[in-house]
Amino acid sequence: MDKELNVLKQETLNAIGKLADNKKLNELYLDIFGQSGKFTNLTKKLKTLSASEKPQIGRLLNEVKKELETAFEKHKSIIRNFKLAEWIDVTASGSGPSTGHLHIVSQAIAEITEIFERIGFTRMRYPEIDWDWYSFESLNMPVNHPARDDFETFFIDLPSNPKLGKVVLSPHTSSGQVREMERVKKPPIRMINIAKCYRPNWDISHTPMFHQFEGLVIDKNINITHLKGTFDYFAKEFFGKERKIRLRPFHFQFTEPSFEVDITCGICSGRGCRFCKDGWLELGGSGMVHPNVLRAGNIDPDVYTGYAFGWGVERTYMMKQGLKIDDLRLLYSNDIRFLEQF
Ligand code: DAH
């Protein structure tokens, strides 16, 4: 009987391997394991065997049964997968790997650079870690001057230089002004310095690292009309044709006269709304370069004049989008759900 069993096993395994649909597979299953199936019939014969044969044949029956049932199950899943594979629509467009994009601040920097380059400005970068001299002293802000309090500063734990003072994380891009004068030596200068700045503030509207863009123009006969014309041009290019700017008197140590520059609100077109209150949004500081700053850069203030401005990249970009990001720190938290929106 063990021979018969082995023959049945082999034949059944061969038959299973040839089948390509479930209906046939079920038929075969019944043909083997059904009420009068081939295997069932063999088990019926067990009774007729002698007591000495029974245990061994019984074990064999169990083994063959297990093996065949596993083969049926396996083949069922082979047929299923084959069917699924058959249904793949090879003409459907694929889903490619998702690609990233530039961070919003990088996008803004690229756009700002391009606008100023069109009117002859050159993009410069100056050190993020700088001397007190370039960050403050050369900008007409001596060590004990109270105006320095507006520029809370990270100091680096390094020895001071007798001439240049302490080492600081540059708190504004204005520290590139005198460096640019030293690089160019003789005006004209038309620089746009865009860089990271650092101040120890950490709340919903401040991050300790942020970006500014700083313009510096120095030549003979430069006056406030050039400053105003440049801002008008930038505002229209960056924010849109209908936007207007205004200058508000202010005070900075490194400019005289100094102004805060405002732009009409993009949401209410200057009429006043919840976002802006009185129709105007503050862009940032500007003014005519102070003669002491020109002198610090070895430029004769009796021959040359200039204007400068320094505005925050993050702030300016949000004003363009009419965005009020509840927490500015989101910009630098690397949360893909936030970044993907821009
Ligand atoms: N450095 C100033 C700040 O960080 C901004 C500024 C004001 C820059 C007036 C200038 C300027 O060039 O003329 O707040």
Side-chain angles (χ1 to χ4, degrees), residues 19-269:
L19 295 180
D21 80 77
N22 271 329
K23 201 169 154 237
K24 293 244 165 71
L25 194 69
N26 281 337
E27 280 168 16
L28 180 63
Y29 186 88
L30 289 178
D31 193 31
I32 305 298
F33 293 118
Q35 252 174 15
S36 48
K38 289 177 185 144
F39 182 88
T40 321
N41 287 340
L42 280 179
T43 53
K44 281 175 193 160
K45 279 194 192 165
L46 193 63
K47 284 185 276 185
T48 64
L49 297 177
S50 66
S52 61
E53 280 176 313
K54 264 187 194 168
Q56 188 232 338
I57 298 296
R59 213 179 307 122
L60 191 62
L61 277 167
N62 274 338
E63 274 172 25
V64 171
K65 187 171 186 212
K66 231 195 222 156
E67 201 175 329
L68 288 180
E69 283 190 327
T70 315
F72 272 107
E73 277 310 307
K74 249 196 193 152
H75 204 69
K76 225 188 244 175
S77 78
I78 289 173
I79 291 174
R80 191 174 49 237
N81 288 339
F82 181 70
K83 288 233 156 104
L84 283 178
E86 265 185 335
W87 279 101
I88 284 178
D89 181 357
V90 291
T91 63
S93 54
S95 56
S98 58
T99 43
H101 62 72
L102 287 178
H103 188 274
I104 31 178
V105 171
S106 302
Q107 289 177 38
I109 289 175
E111 202 178 326
I112 292 164
T113 306
E114 202 193 292
I115 291 173
F116 281 103
E117 279 180 349
R118 266 186 254 144
I119 51 169
F121 282 71
T122 303
R123 165 96 196 260
M124 295 305 300
R125 284 160 221 247
Y126 284 110
E128 285 174 39
I129 300 178
D130 210 342
W131 300 106
D132 180 288
W133 164 259
Y134 290 107
S135 297
F136 296 118
E137 190 99 11
S138 68
L139 296 173
N140 199 31
M141 301 171 94
V143 179
N144 293 319
H145 197 284
R148 272 214 193 186
D149 296 346
D150 298 339
F151 299 86
E152 291 165 82
T153 307
F154 286 110
F155 289 92
I156 305 283
D157 200 3
L158 280 174
S160 299
N161 176 292
K163 269 212 213 111
L164 303 170
K166 292 184 177 164
V167 184
V168 300
L169 286 186
S170 182
H172 54 179
T173 42
S174 302
S175 42
Q177 288 196 14
V178 168
R179 283 189 175 274
E180 177 72 354
M181 294 178 207
E182 288 173 351
R183 182 185 75 86
V184 172
K185 293 193 181 74
K186 201 169 143 25
I189 287 174
R190 250 184 255 137
M191 141 185 118
I192 187 86
N193 171 29
I194 313 183
K196 292 189 171 78
C197 303
Y198 301 86
R199 293 185 204 171
N201 296 319
W202 178 252
D203 59 40
I204 57 166
S205 50
H206 294 92
T207 51
M209 185 280 296
F210 58 102
H211 296 77
Q212 283 188 342
F213 57 111
E214 180 98 7
L216 178 70
V217 172
I218 300 175
D219 206 345
K220 287 178 180 153
N221 302 317
I222 293 290
N223 60 47
I224 294 176
T225 61
H226 299 115
L227 170 152
K228 178 91 177 5
T230 305
F231 298 167
D232 270 336
Y233 163 78
F234 175 75
K236 291 199 171 4
E237 292 295 305
F238 191 75
F239 294 100
K241 293 260 174 300
E242 64 298 338
R243 307 293 280 275
K244 290 196 182 63
I245 60 137
R246 74 173 180 194
L247 302 179
R248 227 171 349 101
F250 205 74
H251 172 80
F252 294 103
Q253 281 295 112
F254 29 91
T255 41
E256 184 56 41
S258 302
F259 313 101
E260 284 281 20
V261 185
D262 297 336
I263 181 162
T264 45
C265 171
I267 294 173
C268 64
S269 309

